[in-house]
């Protein structure tokens, strides 16, 4: 397993170009299953999760072809399988997003249950209940979801999600585009990634209204067609580099980014004393000469403070003056980075399973630490950038799932960061690589 070594304590100055959003790309790639015509996606980030999804699609018979750097063509005109195998699904929950599209277009799908993960139980009951309301017969056997419509089209239905769920909204939205009649999704997620998906589906011929609101109305159509779509910038990546500037008391210009997608975080960073300035193609964040103060944060679905930025803001809170608190309301086990940060001399107390108190003014010290999930790894990288001495972060494959070229982007701003490569082993992952042309 690769490791990342950081010698902290250097203020970062420079420019970082933000990649396409991972969490928008994943559903958009599975949307290609909705039509036999090609879907061209631009600004697809080069990430481990994208490569995993390419393998899953290829294993179903989708032709996955790289057209240029960050541009891919997907054509599902020769589907040979309706099964998303456990070996691939277990590495990435978002692969469960093949369910809605396959069921809508072919009336059939067998998908491995994703199971729990480091940040919580993460069930898929909302996805299954919604598809059942649309007429699918769904059974769970031996860790697999078997879904069928018995050869019929899915039927439009009025669905009210019990809780806001990004994945359930995406799966159901995609399924509804090809359903017979009208589907109404109440309490739908309004994350920018959902809007991006809905807009791409519209350019594929879907009839969707209420985009950007929590009530989506989808009039099903018989088929979708070819489309080209450019993926929105990764808001969590942009937040991570903004915090890198604030925590090192430097200044980073974050380009190809959308400040309007990170309003809650920009407000929090401003309240903490960092300076955020809009730029024509992004924004800048500065901690230069600023006193960073503690703050209280509650994570909630969009447009609230994102759970995916919780570990990163925690790193900044460690070095801030005064106490901070975080109340995590989205996932039940998302403080795995706390004991690792404590190894770096952080003063954090778990109040209960959902909240932490951070004393502030910690003199962070480099230490060997271990990444437990994607965003926890980003939190550890940020803490390491501010720490005195060397931090060695193990299990950085988590980081590689969601951050393209992180060492290069941080080095360009003056960070002392390097990767220790693990010996390369053979590619033992499943998937039909014959269908992937890169
Ligand atoms: C997506 C994001 C992830 C982000 C999360 C919340 C992708 C690929 N991943 O994950 O980065 O942290 O949104 O913003 O976009 N829940 C259920 N039953 C369900 C579905 C969800 O109880 O069927 C619960 C979850 O356990 C969690 C909450 O609902 O507590 C929100 O989860 P959800 O929005 O579905 O997260 P994901 O789509 O998995």
């Amino acid at each position: 397993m690769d490791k990342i070594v950081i010698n902290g304590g250097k203020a970062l100055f420079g420019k970082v170009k933000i990649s396409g959003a991972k969490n928008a790309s994943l559903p958009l790639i599975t949307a290609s299953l909705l039509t036999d015509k090609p879907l061209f996606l631009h600004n697809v980030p080069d990430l481990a999760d994208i490569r995993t999804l390419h393998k899953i699609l290829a294993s179903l018979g989708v032709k996955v072809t790289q057209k240029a750097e960050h541009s891919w063509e997907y054509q599902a005109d020769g589907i040979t399988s309706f099964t998303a195998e456990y070996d691939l699904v277990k590495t990435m929950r978002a692969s469960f997003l093949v369910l809605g599209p396959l069921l809508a277009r072919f009336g059939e799908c067998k998908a491995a249950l994703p199971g729990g993960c480091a940040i919580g139980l993460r069930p898929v009951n909302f996805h299954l209940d919604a598809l059942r309301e649309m007429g699918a017969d769904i059974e769970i056997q031996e860790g697999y979801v078997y879904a069928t419509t018995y050869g019929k089209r899915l039927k439009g239905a009025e669905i009210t999600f019990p809780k806001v769920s990004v994945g359930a909204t995406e799966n159901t939205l995609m399924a509804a585009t090809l359903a017979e009649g009208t589907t109404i999704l109440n309490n739908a997620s309004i994350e920018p990634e959902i809007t991006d998906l809905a807009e791409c589906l519209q350019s594929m011929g879907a009839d969707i209204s209420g985009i950007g609101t929590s009530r989506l109305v989808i009039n099903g159509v018989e088929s979708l067609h070819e489309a080209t779509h450019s993926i929105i910038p990764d808001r969590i990546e942009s937040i991570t580099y903004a915090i890198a500037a604030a925590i090192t008391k430097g200044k980073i210009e974050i380009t190809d980014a959308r400040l309007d997608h990170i309003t809650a975080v920009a407000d929090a960073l401003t309240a903490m004393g960092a300076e955020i300035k809009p730029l024509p193609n992004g924004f800048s964040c500065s901690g230069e000469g600023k006193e960073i103060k503690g703050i209280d944060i509650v994570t909630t679905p969009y447009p609230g403070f994102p759970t995916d930025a919780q570990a990163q803001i925690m790193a900044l809170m460690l070095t801030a003056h005064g106490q901070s608190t975080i109340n995590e309301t989205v996932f039940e086990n998302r403080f795995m980075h706390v004991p690792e940060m404590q190894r770096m001399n952080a003063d954090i107390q778990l109040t209960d399973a959902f909240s932490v108190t951070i004393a502030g003014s910690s003199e962070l010290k480099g230490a060997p630490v271990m990444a437990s999930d994607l965003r926890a790894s980003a939190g550890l990288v940020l803490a390491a950038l501010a720490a005195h001495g060397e931090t060695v972060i193990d299990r950085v494959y988590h980081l590689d799932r969601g951050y393209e070229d992180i060492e290069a982007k941080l080095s360009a701003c003056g960070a002392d960061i390097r990767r220790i490569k693990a010996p390369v082993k053979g590619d033992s992952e499943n998937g039909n690589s014959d269908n992937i042309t890169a």
Side-chain angles (χ1 to χ4, degrees):
M1 272 178 273
D2 289 5
K3 293 178 183 173
I4 279 186
V5 182
I6 295 175
N7 271 294
K10 296 177 180 57
L12 301 190
F13 290 92
K15 235 184 221 188
V16 171
K17 182 179 186 302
I18 297 305
S19 300
K22 170 180 86 72
N23 286 354
S25 305
L26 296 170
L28 282 165
I29 292 170
T30 64
S32 67
L33 289 165
L34 289 163
T35 173
D36 61 348
K37 302 293 183 297
L39 175 63
F40 298 93
L41 294 179
H42 299 305
N43 207 25
V44 179
D46 185 10
L47 296 170
D49 271 10
I50 301 295
R51 290 189 283 276
T52 302
L53 190 57
H54 283 173
K55 286 195 172 122
I56 293 175
L57 261 66
S59 77
L60 303 174
V62 180
K63 292 182 205 102
V64 178
T65 312
Q66 184 157 24
K67 304 305 278 181
E69 198 187 10
H70 299 127
S71 291
W72 290 79
E73 176 186 349
Y74 305 87
Q75 187 160 16
D77 60 348
I79 293 293
T80 49
S81 161
F82 303 122
T83 304
E85 297 287 356
Y86 178 65
D87 279 351
L88 288 166
V89 174
K90 74 176 180 200
T91 64
M92 190 186 62
R93 290 179 51 81
S95 37
F96 200 65
L97 294 174
V98 302
L99 176 64
L102 282 178
L103 198 55
R105 182 159 154 228
F106 301 100
E108 206 178 318
C109 178
K110 175 184 168 191
L113 273 175
C117 70
I119 63 172
L121 294 170
R122 301 184 81 175
V124 287
N125 52 326
F126 303 157
H127 305 232
L128 304 186
D129 289 347
L131 293 168
R132 282 189 181 112
E133 285 189 55
M134 296 175 74
D137 187 359
I138 300 180
E139 281 184 30
I140 298 175
Q141 277 172 24
E142 290 154 358
Y144 277 86
V145 169
Y146 291 79
T148 180
T149 61
Y150 300 107
K152 297 194 197 118
R153 277 174 79 185
L154 286 169
K155 288 193 295 290
E158 177 151 5
I159 294 156
T160 301
F161 295 109
K163 184 176 171 184
V164 175
S165 162
V166 174
T169 303
E170 291 166 344
N171 239 338
T172 318
L173 169 63
M174 288 191 280
T177 60
L178 291 181
E180 197 176 349
T182 301
T183 301
I184 300 172
L185 303 182
N186 297 313
N187 200 24
S189 162
I190 56 168
E191 259 70 2
E193 292 76 19
I194 304 279
T195 300
D196 205 31
L197 173 64
E199 285 175 352
C200 177
L201 291 169
Q202 270 191 323
S203 55
M204 293 167 75
D207 178 352
I208 306 169
S209 52
I211 295 176
T213 75
S214 58
R215 187 171 192 270
L216 294 169
V217 180
I218 306 111
N219 291 310
V221 294
E222 290 206 355
S223 63
L224 297 178
H225 52 68
E226 180 176 327
T228 300
H229 182 81
S230 192
I231 292 164
I232 54 168
D234 196 306
R235 62 195 165 102
I236 307 299
E237 192 195 17
S238 71
I239 291 166
T240 305
Y241 289 107
I243 297 178
I247 201 169
T248 64
K249 302 225 172 277
K251 181 174 179 184
I252 299 181
E253 226 175 82
I254 294 153
T255 71
D256 299 76
R258 292 275 301 263
L259 186 55
D260 60 321
H261 285 171
I262 64 158
T263 306
V265 178
D267 289 349
L269 290 175
T270 306
M272 290 178 86
E275 186 177 56
I276 304 273
K277 278 196 182 152
L279 297 171
N281 188 26
F283 65 97
S284 66
C285 180
S286 172
E288 196 182 9
K290 314 269 187 266
E291 186 185 82
I292 301 294
K293 301 176 282 291
I295 191 179
D296 300 321
I297 296 272
V298 180
T299 64
T300 56
Y302 193 83
F305 194 97
T307 175
D308 284 352
Q310 180 254 101
Q312 299 90 314
I313 199 92
M314 187 185 290
L316 182 60
M317 289 168 165
L318 298 176
T319 61
H321 292 278
Q323 181 178 290
S324 298
T325 61
I326 298 178
N327 186 3
E328 168 64 57
T329 73
V330 180
F331 289 110
E332 68 270 22
N333 187 24
R334 211 170 192 182
F335 290 131
M336 303 279 278
H337 39 284
V338 167
E340 300 304 311
M341 288 178 174
Q342 284 168 333
R343 294 172 55 76
M344 300 176 72
N345 203 35
D347 190 347
I348 319 174
Q349 299 302 322
L350 275 169
T351 322
D352 56 46
F354 297 97
S355 32
V356 290
T357 303
I358 296 131
S361 304
S362 289
E363 288 276 323
L364 294 177
K365 297 196 171 98
V369 291
M370 197 179 285
S372 54
D373 69 70
L374 167 55
R375 305 306 171 185
S377 333
L380 294 175
V381 167
L382 292 169
L385 290 171
H388 293 288
E390 183 178 275
T391 300
V392 180
I393 305 173
D394 203 350
R395 300 199 177 169
V396 293
Y397 57 86
H398 288 295
L399 200 62
D400 295 334
R401 291 185 47 209
Y403 288 89
E404 183 173 347
D405 277 342
I406 190 164
E407 301 106 274
K409 290 183 184 185
L410 285 172
S411 296
C413 297
D416 181 346
I417 177 169
R418 72 195 154 87
R419 179 178 291 248
I420 304 176
K421 290 285 246 186
V424 180
K425 290 198 202 119
D427 182 5
S428 60
E429 288 170 275
N430 287 350
N432 179 3
S433 301
D434 292 349
N435 282 330
I436 306 178
T437 315

